[in-house]
Structures are given as structure tokens and as C-alpha cells.
Amino acid sequence: MSHEPAAPADPVERASPAAHDREHGRTLRRAATASFIGNFIEWFDYASYGYLAGVIGRVFFPESDKQVQLMLSFAVFATSFILRPIGAVVWGTWGDRRGRRWALSWSILIMSGSTCFIGFLPTYAMIGIWSALGLLVLRMVQGFSASGEYAGAGTFLAEYAPPARRGIYTCLVPASTACGLLAGSLMVSGMYFGLGGEDSPDMTQWGWRIPFILAGPLGLIGRYIRVHLEDSPAYQAMRAEMPQEPRSTGWAEPLLLLLRYHWRETLITFGVSCLNAVAFYMLLSYMPTYVTEELGFSSNTATLATSVMLVVYIAAIFLMGHLSDSFGRRRMLIAACIAFIVLSIPLFIMMTKAGGRLEIVILCQIVFALILTANDGTLATFLAESFPTNVRYSGFALSFNSANALLGGTTPFIVTWLIRATGSSLVPAVYLTVVSLIAMMAILASRVIHGSELTENPQLETSS
């Protein structure tokens, strides 16, 4: 037997694992950047609309009194969510059949385009009721395209991220959401300061258009990044194991598989998503209006308070993602439910009895932000891990967007109407508490899935 020493490995072969890791790291960063930009644009728009709700009401519904203007503005906001479940089915099917990258590159283009067109809409003074109808149509197109954005970005990042760090990577999706809201808040605050407030002629004539027009170039940048990415490793592995091309099967196959084999997971994730939908829109979109209309602060002060809450939210979201990697998704989500149930009403009471003390209002909003991040920093990973690869986009999109359509987008309108009907400024807290109880029951019914690989064999998934 020869005892000659083995020949040294080729340098290229020795370097290949490290080179592979570096390339994977670069790809992961590009995927994270692409996901960040898309969600940033979406929520920059929603923040701008929420913070400019009073101005938009005067521009598109000038013949109504102030409170009715506000309700009509929020009604258009809520109506844009009607197409979310439909969009969830369409984008989820496209994402599972054609790939995550394909769906995301088109969703950002449609979303940013419709947002940009809002900035060029004629006002009521120019074309009458047609202006409000145009706003409604464009908001519905936004809702359709946005239904594929959050779910697609969450699925994409969850499939790219290492299992042990999936929570901290996937929480970049809600972090980008908060960054968009913060940017919208700061921009609107700056415009109020520079243009003389929300009642100034400059604001009602042209100032409100600026945030929407900016979405156009941002969307083109995001699409460029996305079309130059490879699809996620989990999706590519699934495609490699499939006996035939996805396009040769029925168009609705992912939806049919989801409803046939994974209906229980869909119902559970819908219930879990309900709390996120209500809490997110109440605290980060409606809250500036609440602080202005119910607590009597100025618009500038209200947006300042919300901006502080968003800074805390962004700082805490990555910590919550890390904790979800350490302690599990269910524990984090249950803790958030308990905190909302116990603290929502006391915190709203503190704000209503603040007596004009802004520091108390900001403190209450900071506590709310921390509770929300425990939910938000965990939810996207939880939803992605709840479904197998071949229906993951569809399951995530359908459960998340159905909850947002029924409860999220309607939250500002519902609480505004309830406050008017009951005369109580504590109604939002009661509403949030009830939804938290519903979400708690759904979480307790869920399975424990934590840190697993997301590259299951699709043939086994459909027969299990």
C-alpha cells in the first residue's frame, strides 16, 4: 500500500467554500435591500396618506364638514383594502408558480406607479366628484399591488436567511415598513412647518402631492434591484425537484393545494394576523389623527409624537427578531397579546388624562411601540414558517391580506365612527383589547415551528 502523502488540494477548491459564503452573503444583502425598498415605498405612501388625511379630505371632499371630510378620507383609505384578498390570491399564485422575484419585481412597479399617479390627480375644484373617484381607483390599484409586497418580501427573506437567524433577517420587512412611516411622518411635519400648516393654500394646492410623486423614481430603483436577483434557494430547490414545469399545471393550483391541505394553518395565521392589522394601523397610521382630534394637540405635535414612537419601533424591531430566534415565535406573539390585553385601556386612559402634557402621550406611545414590535418583529417569520414552499407565498399573502382587508384598513374609519357614536375616546383601546383576545386563541392553536429548514419536498407536502 502506498504511503505517499496526498496531493494538496487545489487552491481554487480550498477557497470555494469561503467564496461561496461571500457570494451568498452578497446575495442575501441584495435580497434584503430589494425587500427593504419595496416595503419602504409602500408604507411611505400609507404614512403620507394617513398624516395628510385632513388635507386630502378638504381637497377631494370640500363640501362636507370637517369630521365628515376626515371620515370620507379614511373611507377611501379603507376601500383600497377591498382588493387585498383578491391581490393576495393573484400574487400568491404568481409567486408560487413563477417565482418570488418575478412577483416582487412587478408588484413594486404597479404599486409605485399608482402611487405616483395620485400626485397628479386633479382636485375636486377642477373636475368635481371625478377627482374622488380617481383617488378611489388608484387606491384600489395600490391595494391590489401592495397585497403581494409584504408577503412576497417576507417569504423571500425567510427563504434566503439562515434558519438560526431567520427572525432577525425577516424582521427587516417590518423595519422597512416603519422606516417608510417615519419618512412620511418627517416629510409631512416638514411640509406643515415650511408651508404654514395643513390649512395653508400651498399645502392644499400642491404640497400634498409631493410624497406621492416621489414614489415613481423610488419604485424604478427597487425594480432594477429585484430583476437582477436570483430567486430564493428554497424556491429553486423546489423547482429542481418538481417533475414538470409549474406553468404546465393549472393556474390556481397553489390556491387549491393551500385550501385543501393547509386550511387549518390558513385560519390560524389569519387569526394571528388580525392583531397585527388592527394594532399597526391604529398605532402607526391613525394615532396622529387621534392625538389631534381627540386629545387636542396640533398636527405638528401629533406627528412629532408619532415620529418618536417610530424611532423606538425601528430600534426595537431587530431586538424582537433576535429574541424570536432565541425563544420562538409563539412565545413572542403570546407575550405581545398579553401586553395588549393588559395595557391598552390603561395607556389610553393615561393619554386622555394627560392634560396637555406631551411627554405623557409620548411615553404611552413608546410603550405601545415596544409591544407592537414584539408582534411585528415575529409575525412575518411565523407566517413564512407556517406553510410549505409550494404554497408559502399564497398562504402568507392570503392570511395576512385578508386580516388587513377586514380589520386593518378599516381600523381608522371604525374607531372614528365609534368615537363619534359613543362619545368615548377610549373606544380604540377596547377594540384593540378584543382583537388581542381573538389573536391569543389563534396563537394557542398553532403548531410550534422554529428554525426549521424551508426547503421541503413539495410532493411530500401535498400528500401529508
Side-chain angles (χ1 to χ4, degrees):
M1 179 181 293
S2 174
H3 295 283
E4 293 181 5
D10 184 80
V12 175
E13 293 182 2
R14 290 202 308 268
S16 59
H20 176 270
D21 290 343
R22 286 195 299 270
E23 179 59 30
H24 179 74
R26 285 193 293 267
T27 304
L28 183 56
R29 286 192 294 272
R30 290 198 299 270
T33 301
S35 300
F36 183 95
I37 291 177
N39 274 285
F40 177 88
I41 295 170
E42 178 186 350
W43 297 105
F44 176 78
D45 158 59
Y46 278 105
S48 300
Y49 191 98
Y51 301 146
L52 291 170
V55 179
I56 290 172
R58 283 187 285 279
V59 170
F60 290 96
F61 310 103
E63 296 184 353
S64 305
D65 63 55
K66 186 174 182 180
Q67 192 166 29
V68 173
Q69 285 177 354
L70 186 62
M71 289 182 65
L72 288 172
S73 179
F74 281 137
V76 172
F77 181 86
T79 304
S80 70
F81 283 73
I82 290 176
L83 288 182
R84 284 230 171 181
I86 299 174
V89 171
V90 173
W91 290 110
T93 300
W94 281 342
D96 286 328
R97 284 171 55 84
R98 294 175 175 265
R100 294 27 169 153
R101 183 191 67 170
W102 187 94
L104 285 169
S105 63
W106 278 102
S107 68
I108 193 173
L109 188 64
I110 297 173
M111 181 179 63
S112 59
S114 57
T115 302
C116 186
F117 284 140
I118 289 178
F120 293 101
L121 270 178
T123 64
Y124 184 93
M126 297 177 183
I127 59 174
I129 193 63
W130 293 104
S131 63
L133 292 175
L135 177 65
L136 177 62
V137 169
L138 289 174
R139 291 291 297 177
M140 293 181 75
V141 173
Q142 281 181 321
F144 173 79
S145 57
S147 61
E149 185 60 42
Y150 192 101
T155 299
F156 197 58
L157 274 178
E159 292 179 341
Y160 255 113
R165 304 192 67 198
R166 187 177 297 135
I168 196 168
Y169 272 103
T170 309
C171 75
L172 185 65
V173 177
S176 62
T177 296
C179 287
L181 290 169
L182 178 60
S185 172
L186 293 176
M187 170 163 277
V188 172
S189 297
M191 290 195 302
Y192 281 155
F193 178 79
L195 299 179
E198 64 177 17
D199 295 319
S200 69
D202 287 340
M203 180 61 74
T204 56
Q205 290 173 9
W206 57 269
W208 65 271
R209 300 178 183 274
I210 295 175
F212 300 104
I213 293 174
L214 287 176
L218 289 175
L220 293 176
I221 295 171
R223 176 173 167 80
Y224 176 83
I225 295 174
R226 286 179 175 180
V227 297
H228 288 82
L229 275 174
E230 289 186 358
D231 228 316
S232 70
Y235 184 79
Q236 292 186 61
M238 183 196 76
R239 286 286 301 270
E241 295 178 7
M242 293 183 72
Q244 58 184 342
E245 284 291 313
R247 297 181 192 183
S248 65
T249 59
W251 182 88
E253 185 184 26
L255 178 63
L256 296 176
L257 291 175
L258 178 71
L259 298 180
R260 182 177 180 183
Y261 296 106
H262 308 286
W263 59 268
R264 184 177 182 274
E265 291 87 348
T266 304
L267 289 177
I268 289 173
T269 52
F270 167 79
V272 175
S273 298
C274 286
L275 173 58
N276 176 266
V278 171
F280 185 90
Y281 284 100
M282 183 181 293
L283 300 176
L284 298 182
S285 181
Y286 170 73
M287 188 58 74
T289 301
Y290 181 84
V291 172
T292 301
E293 301 296 328
E294 305 302 327
L295 303 184
F297 290 91
S298 67
S299 297
N300 284 337
T301 301
T303 51
L304 172 63
T306 302
S307 297
V308 173
M309 179 169 61
L310 284 167
V311 171
V312 174
Y313 178 102
I314 294 169
I317 195 78
F318 293 103
L319 172 62
M320 299 302 178
H322 172 70
L323 291 177
S324 79
D325 284 327
S326 301
F327 297 105
R329 324 301 177 205
R330 292 177 82 249
R331 289 179 181 176
M332 294 295 294
L333 292 171
I334 289 171
C337 281
I338 294 173
F340 274 125
I341 292 168
V342 173
L343 296 177
S344 290
I345 293 176
L347 288 172
F348 268 87
I349 290 175
M350 286 180 62
M351 287 193 291
T352 57
K353 296 185 179 298
R357 296 179 62 184
L358 179 62
E359 65 274 16
I360 294 179
V361 174
I362 291 177
L363 177 62
C364 292
Q365 292 194 30
I366 287 174
V367 175
F368 268 132
L370 293 174
I371 301 172
L372 182 58
T373 55
N375 178 281
D376 244 9
T378 308
L379 181 66
T381 315
F382 173 81
L383 295 178
E385 290 180 338
S386 296
F387 299 98
T389 307
N390 62 330
V391 295
R392 182 168 296 124
Y393 201 141
S394 297
F396 191 142
L398 184 61
S399 58
F400 181 79
N401 286 290
S402 296
N404 276 273
L406 292 175
L407 296 175
T410 58
T411 291
F413 178 81
I414 288 174
V415 296
T416 300
W417 178 80
L418 286 174
I419 289 172
R420 184 174 184 178
T422 64
S424 172
S425 58
L426 294 180
V427 168
V430 176
Y431 187 53
L432 183 55
T433 301
V434 171
V435 175
S436 300
L437 288 168
I438 295 172
M440 171 77 85
M441 290 187 289
I443 296 167
L444 292 176
S446 66
R447 294 182 295 140
V448 177
I449 310 170
H450 175 58
S452 61
E453 293 287 346
L454 299 183
T455 55
E456 306 91 338
N457 188 314
Q459 301 306 310
L460 296 177
E461 292 161 2
T462 58
S463 60
S464 60

